Amino acid sequence: MKISIIIVLLFIRLLLIGQESFSKYYSFDSYGSTIRSMLIERDTILLQGYFIDTVSPFLQGIVFAKVDSFGNLLTYHRYFDSKGRDLSYNPLNNIIRLSDGRFLTLSMALQDNALQLWFLTSDFQLDTVFEFFSGDQSVQLNWWRNVYEVSDGYLVFGSAQRLNFNDDIQIIKVSKNGELMWRKWLGLSNKDEVSGDVAKYSDSTFVVASFRKPFPVPAADLRKNTWIFEVDTNGNILHEFLDTDPFSGGSGGLVFDKDRNIYFSGTSIVEDIFGNDNTLGRISRLNSEFKFQWKRTFGKNFNPMNGLGDMILLDNHLIASGTNVDSSRNSWGSPSGYTGGWLVMTSLNGDSICERIDTAQWFPIDGTGMGLFRAIDTLSSGSIITCGDGRFGPNENNYHDYAWLVKTTNPPCEGLKVGNTEIRNKIQIWGMSPNPAKKSTLIQLNQIDFNETTIFCLFDTNGRIVKRTFADFGVDHVIFDLRNLAEGLYIVQSFNKKGHLTGIEKLIIIK
C-alpha cells in the first residue's frame, strides 16, 4: 500500500514539474545565436535558427536542435554553407515535417543571391540542399518565409526586389527532385509587397498575410496597407482583403477557427509619425468570405517597434507573441528603451484579457532588458512555449544575443508577478535632499519596498551610468557622492532585483 502511495505521489510530482515554467538560453557553442522557428512533436521541441561563428563573427550558419519539455537541450547540429557563404534568415520562417519523415526549412546566401531548401533526416542529419537563383542579379532576394509540401513538390513563399526597386511577392514551385517548376510574381506596379506568414487554409489553398507599401516613398515612411489573400497551389489569387488604412501595418501570424474565420496579427503604426517607428501590436479578423470584422491594437503608443509576429488559437482564445519596446521602462537611458518578449491574449471577439512581458534576465541588471519572441506553440499539457533571442552578458557594453526559450502557463498571465501595467503603476517619484546638490544627495528609503527596489543608478544626459549604489537591507537611506561629477542635469533610477525600473527622479548638480 505504501509503495502504491509513493508511486502515485512521485507521478503527481512529475506532472507538477512538467508544468513548471522556465526561461533558458542556448549558445550552441557559438559567438551568438537565435531561434527562428520551432515545431513540437510529442512534447519534444524542435528548433531551427542560426549561429554566428566564434572565429569569424561575419559568418553565419544554420542550427537545428532538440529540447525536452523541461528546457533541457537534448542535441543540436550546426551547418555552414558548403561554399563558405554567410547564410541569412528571415525574422520568422518555418520548419516542416515531410511525408517521408525528413525535415525541410529555408535559408538564403545573399552574397550569391541564392535561395536554399534544406532537407534533413529525422535526427537532424543533413541530407540534401537544393539551391536556386545563384548569381541571378536580375532580382534581389528579400524575405523568403514559408515552405509547404504538396503532392508533387514544394511551394515556397517569399518576396524579392526587381531591378525597378519594387519588392513583390513570389511563389515558386519545386519538384520532389529539386527542379524549379515555375516562379510567379504577385503584386501591383509601383507598389512594394512583402510576404508575411503563410498558413494552409484548405486541402488546396493557402492564406498569405502580407502588406503593400505605397511606392515610391522615403525609406523612413512607415505607411503600409495590410494585405491578406488566399492563393491556390498554382499561384492564383482566389480571394483578397486590403486594409485601406495606410497605417494598418505589416502582418505576422495567421490562425483559423472552426468557422474558417481568419485571424492575423502584426503591427499598427501610431499617430502618423513618419521616421519614428512607433507601432502597436495588432490582431484582426476576417470572415470566410474575406470580409473585415474587427481590428484591435495592444500596447502603448509611445513604444517603438512593438509588433505581434506569430499567433496560436488555444481554448477559444488567441495568444500572439512578438516584441514590446517600452521607453518608459528605460534601463540605461537608451532611447530604444526596454525590450521584452511580448504575449497578448484576447478572445475571438478581440476583447483583451492580458498582456505579458518577459525579458532575458540572466544577470541582475546589466545585460538584461532585451528579449525578442519570434514563434509560439504549445505542449500537450497546454503550457505555452515561445522562442527567439535574448541578450546575455556582464554589462550593456559586452553582450551577445543567444537563442532563448520560454515556457509559461496557460493563460500566460496566471501567476505573473512582473507585467507591463503592473510595473508602470509601481514606478515611484521619490525625493532627494538636497536637490540641487553640490557634494552629495541622500535618498530616504522608509517608503521603498525592499522586495521591489535594490539598486540605484545615476545617469548622465547621454544615458551613461556614472554612479551605482545598492540599498542594503536594514538601512534607511542611500547616499550618492557627487564630488567628481560635472554640474548639470542627471537622472536617478531605481531597479528591482530583476532589473525592472521601479522609480525615477531628476537631479541637478551645481558647483
Side-chain angles (χ1 to χ4, degrees):
M1 180 68 177
K2 289 183 178 180
I3 295 176
S4 299
I5 293 175
I6 292 173
I7 292 174
V8 171
L9 291 175
L10 287 174
F11 179 71
I12 293 174
R13 182 174 182 272
L14 286 174
L15 287 177
L16 292 174
I17 292 174
Q19 298 294 323
E20 288 181 352
S21 301
F22 61 73
S23 176
K24 295 190 176 184
Y25 77 95
Y26 310 94
S27 69
F28 305 126
D29 293 326
S30 63
Y31 179 83
S33 57
T34 186
I35 303 171
R36 296 296 184 177
S37 63
M38 67 178 165
L39 180 66
I40 296 180
E41 294 186 334
R42 296 183 295 276
D43 285 349
T44 297
I45 306 167
L46 310 175
L47 306 172
Q48 174 263 343
Y50 73 77
F51 70 95
I52 302 174
D53 185 34
T54 54
V55 177
S56 174
F58 301 102
L59 184 61
Q60 292 182 177
I62 193 168
V63 63
F64 301 91
K66 291 185 179 182
V67 176
D68 67 17
S69 59
F70 302 93
N72 301 311
L73 184 62
L74 303 177
T75 184
Y76 69 91
H77 299 276
R78 306 187 314 171
Y79 298 102
F80 284 109
D81 178 67
S82 60
K83 299 179 182 179
R85 298 167 297 185
D86 183 34
L87 297 178
S88 176
Y89 303 91
N90 301 313
L92 176 64
N93 57 315
N94 65 335
I95 178 173
I96 62 171
R97 170 80 82 166
L98 299 175
S99 57
D100 61 10
R102 295 182 300 166
F103 293 101
L104 173 59
T105 192
L106 302 169
S107 72
M108 293 184 294
L110 291 182
Q111 294 97 321
D112 286 348
N113 208 42
L115 169 66
Q116 297 176 331
L117 300 187
W118 287 67
F119 295 82
L120 297 106
T121 64
S122 59
D123 58 353
F124 277 168
Q125 298 293 331
L126 184 61
D127 186 353
T128 307
V129 178
F130 293 152
E131 186 169 303
F132 308 95
F133 317 131
S134 299
D136 180 4
Q137 299 305 315
S138 62
V139 297
Q140 178 64 49
L141 298 184
N142 188 358
W143 302 89
W144 287 91
R145 293 290 298 265
N146 297 74
V147 59
Y148 283 92
E149 183 180 23
V150 292
S151 60
D152 56 344
Y154 313 101
L155 287 179
V156 185
F157 297 83
S159 56
Q161 188 179 91
R162 308 194 202 206
L163 290 178
N164 61 359
F165 301 107
N166 283 113
D167 284 324
D168 286 307
I169 292 174
Q170 284 192 76
I171 304 175
I172 71 168
K173 187 172 184 179
V174 178
S175 69
K176 290 294 179 77
N177 60 6
E179 295 178 355
L180 180 62
M181 300 173 68
W182 50 258
R183 180 184 193 182
K184 292 189 176 182
W185 296 81
L186 302 178
L188 301 177
S189 61
N190 289 330
K191 301 285 185 181
D192 270 342
E193 288 100 0
V194 176
S195 173
D197 196 19
V198 182
K200 194 165 186 178
Y201 194 51
S202 69
D203 291 339
S204 59
T205 66
F206 299 84
V207 171
V208 180
S210 61
F211 65 83
R212 177 174 293 167
K213 186 175 181 179
F215 188 90
V217 295
D221 191 326
L222 300 175
R223 284 179 293 178
K224 297 181 180 71
N225 297 102
T226 305
W227 184 30
I228 312 294
F229 61 89
E230 181 184 11
V231 62
D232 64 20
T233 54
N234 294 314
N236 302 310
I237 294 180
L238 306 179
H239 300 92
E240 62 182 321
F241 163 77
L242 182 68
D243 193 331
T244 57
D245 178 2
F247 308 103
S248 53
S251 290
L254 273 169
V255 293
F256 317 119
D257 64 19
K258 59 182 179 59
D259 297 319
R260 293 172 54 82
N261 292 310
I262 303 165
Y263 303 86
F264 49 100
S265 61
T267 61
S268 181
I269 300 148
V270 177
E271 296 178 353
D272 306 1
I273 303 175
F274 300 147
N276 189 2
D277 49 357
N278 287 12
T279 58
L280 297 173
R282 171 187 48 76
I283 298 177
S284 306
R285 184 171 81 178
L286 306 177
N287 64 19
S288 59
E289 297 179 349
F290 280 68
K291 302 298 184 183
F292 176 79
Q293 294 192 297
W294 55 257
K295 174 167 59 176
R296 303 288 184 268
T297 56
F298 306 87
K300 302 296 181 181
N301 63 6
F302 55 81
N303 297 351
M305 296 187 300
N306 286 0
L308 297 168
D310 198 15
M311 187 164 54
I312 56 174
L313 196 160
L314 182 64
D315 300 330
N316 288 320
H317 290 96
L318 303 166
I319 305 176
S321 64
T323 303
N324 180 286
V325 181
D326 190 341
S327 55
S328 73
R329 295 167 63 197
N330 183 339
S331 293
W332 34 71
S334 169
S336 62
Y338 192 99
T339 304
W342 190 24
L343 293 180
V344 170
M345 182 173 174
T346 188
S347 70
L348 298 186
N349 291 319
D351 300 322
S352 179
I353 298 174
C354 72
E355 297 181 39
R356 177 188 180 115
I357 308 294
D358 285 271
T359 56
Q361 299 167 0
W362 302 311
F363 281 85
I365 178 168
D366 294 339
T368 65
M370 290 296 292
L372 310 177
F373 284 164
R374 300 188 185 276
I376 183 170
D377 208 334
T378 59
L379 298 171
S380 62
S381 63
S383 295
I384 299 166
I385 296 290
T386 49
C387 66
D389 51 276
R391 179 164 292 181
F392 179 75
N395 56 60
E396 61 267 31
N397 298 315
N398 183 13
Y399 64 87
H400 302 295
D401 289 333
Y402 285 143
W404 185 32
L405 194 67
V406 176
K407 177 181 177 182
T408 59
T409 57
N410 176 32
C413 19
E414 182 176 308
L416 180 62
K417 296 179 181 178
V418 177
N420 190 28
T421 303
E422 180 181 348
I423 282 293
R424 183 173 292 107
N425 292 338
K426 284 188 176 181
I427 290 177
Q428 307 173 55
I429 299 178
W430 21 254
M432 290 177 288
S433 180
N435 186 10
K438 291 184 177 181
K439 296 181 180 180
S440 65
T441 189
L442 181 147
I443 302 172
Q444 289 288 346
L445 303 181
N446 57 317
Q447 294 183 347
I448 292 179
D449 184 352
F450 280 95
N451 294 321
E452 289 297 327
T453 301
T454 60
I455 305 169
F456 290 82
C457 295
L458 181 65
F459 295 86
D460 63 17
T461 54
N462 294 318
R464 292 188 297 263
I465 298 177
V466 296
K467 289 282 185 177
R468 180 179 302 168
T469 187
F470 295 85
D472 296 325
F473 185 79
V475 301
D476 62 358
H477 67 273
V478 295
I479 296 177
F480 275 109
D481 185 348
L482 310 175
R483 287 174 293 183
N484 296 325
L485 298 178
E487 64 180 353
L489 175 66
Y490 293 80
I491 301 294
V492 180
Q493 295 184 5
S494 61
F495 302 88
N496 64 14
K497 296 176 182 178
K498 294 184 176 182
H500 293 157
L501 180 67
T502 59
I504 186 170
E505 183 63 280
K506 294 179 181 179
L507 170 67
I508 298 175
I509 298 179
I510 57 175
K511 297 297 182 183

